[in-house]
């Protein structure tokens, strides 16, 4: 059963992190945002069971326990989580505003530089995927190039007619 505090906490987490923790996914950002949710909910309501915490996001008690045990590691590799957690706790009046920025500037800069490198790698991989031919048949690539080169010319119309004829002749071949 979802309580007012769980609804509000989910809303605040989504506002601050930009992640919907109810989304069924194993993406790192979502797992880490859920871990923040579990950690804060356990801090706010110490009597709340792991089962009820997990049920509020469609997970079981073992998932919550695993996430809580790994939370410090999540923060170690993603220092912005600590900042998120403190901002969220401050919204619930559990942290003073001046305590929010105790994450050092160097930690934040380092984290952001790592994020930038990862995003650059992802951009490079996506560009390679876009530029890679969609098939392994050289003939198809050659035909595509020929159609591009003859665009708007009478030759292109003849090529298209011939390709359509080849297609019609071969579409019903059964081996």
């Amino acid at each position: 059963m979802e309580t007012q505090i769980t609804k509000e906490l989910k809303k605040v987490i989504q506002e601050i992190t930009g992640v919907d923790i109810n989304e069924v996914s194993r993406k790192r950002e979502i797992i880490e945002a859920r871990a923040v949710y579990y950690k804060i909910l356990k801090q706010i309501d110490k009597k709340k069971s792991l089962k009820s915490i997990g049920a509020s996001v469609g997970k079981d008690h073992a998932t919550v326990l695993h996430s809580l045990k790994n939370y410090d590691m999540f923060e170690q590799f993603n220092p912005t989580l600590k900042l998120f957690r403190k901002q969220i706790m401050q919204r619930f009046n559990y942290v003073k505003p001046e305590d929010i920025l105790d994450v050092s500037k160097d930690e934040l800069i380092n984290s952001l530089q790592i994020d930038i490198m990862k995003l650059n790698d992802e951009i490079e991989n996506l560009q390679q995927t876009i530029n890679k031919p969609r098939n392994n048949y050289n003939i198809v690539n050659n035909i595509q190039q020929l159609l591009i080169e003859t665009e708007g010319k009478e030759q292109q119309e003849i090529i298209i007619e011939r390709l359509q004829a080849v297609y019609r002749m071969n579409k019903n071949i059964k081996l």
Side-chain angles (χ1 to χ4, degrees):
M1 183 175 135
E2 195 163 52
T3 62
Q4 185 63 33
I5 190 80
T6 58
K7 287 179 189 175
E8 186 63 26
L9 183 54
K10 286 179 186 181
K11 180 180 161 196
V12 171
I13 287 175
Q14 186 162 6
E15 286 174 15
I16 291 175
T17 65
V19 173
D20 179 8
I21 62 173
N22 287 318
E23 183 178 334
V24 178
S25 173
R26 291 185 180 180
K27 290 181 183 174
R28 191 183 87 227
E29 306 84 42
I30 296 172
I31 290 170
E32 289 176 347
R34 274 194 219 117
V36 171
Y37 171 79
Y38 302 148
K39 178 94 172 166
I40 292 172
L41 200 51
K42 198 64 180 160
Q43 286 177 323
I44 291 173
D45 188 357
K46 294 185 185 330
K47 293 181 182 178
K48 199 159 192 68
S49 70
L50 297 179
K51 182 178 180 181
S52 64
I53 292 172
S56 66
V57 287
K59 302 294 176 189
D60 63 16
H61 73 283
T63 303
V64 176
L65 182 63
H66 178 74
S67 187
L68 289 171
K69 284 183 177 180
N70 289 310
Y71 185 79
D72 291 335
M73 180 190 61
F74 292 153
E75 269 192 2
Q76 179 184 354
F77 289 101
N78 186 357
T80 55
L81 276 184
K82 189 174 191 178
L83 181 62
F84 288 153
R85 182 173 53 85
K86 291 190 176 202
Q87 287 175 335
I88 294 163
M89 291 295 282
Q90 199 257 334
R91 292 274 280 278
F92 284 92
N93 297 320
Y94 282 91
V95 175
K96 293 177 275 189
E98 59 270 13
D99 292 339
I100 290 178
L101 291 175
D102 76 343
V103 175
S104 76
K105 288 181 183 177
D106 290 338
E107 287 177 322
L108 284 174
I109 290 170
N110 186 33
S111 172
L112 291 172
Q113 286 174 333
I114 290 169
D115 288 346
I116 289 170
M117 287 189 294
K118 288 178 183 176
L119 288 171
N120 283 334
D121 287 344
E122 191 175 333
I123 288 170
E124 188 176 317
N125 289 337
L126 288 172
Q127 286 175 334
Q128 288 174 357
T129 301
I130 289 171
N131 295 331
K132 190 165 59 170
R134 293 184 184 179
N135 56 58
N136 292 329
Y137 303 110
N138 286 334
I139 187 72
V140 174
N141 294 332
N142 293 341
I143 290 172
Q144 286 176 332
Q145 186 61 37
L146 183 61
L147 288 171
I148 290 169
E149 291 171 1
T150 60
E151 190 170 344
K153 298 179 183 171
E154 187 177 333
Q155 183 182 1
Q156 185 184 43
E157 292 175 24
I158 296 169
I159 293 169
I160 291 173
E161 284 179 26
R162 289 179 178 175
L163 288 172
Q164 288 171 339
V166 169
Y167 171 76
R168 283 190 302 270
M169 287 186 309
N170 291 293
K171 75 177 181 179
N172 293 322
I173 294 178
K174 295 192 175 33
L175 300 174

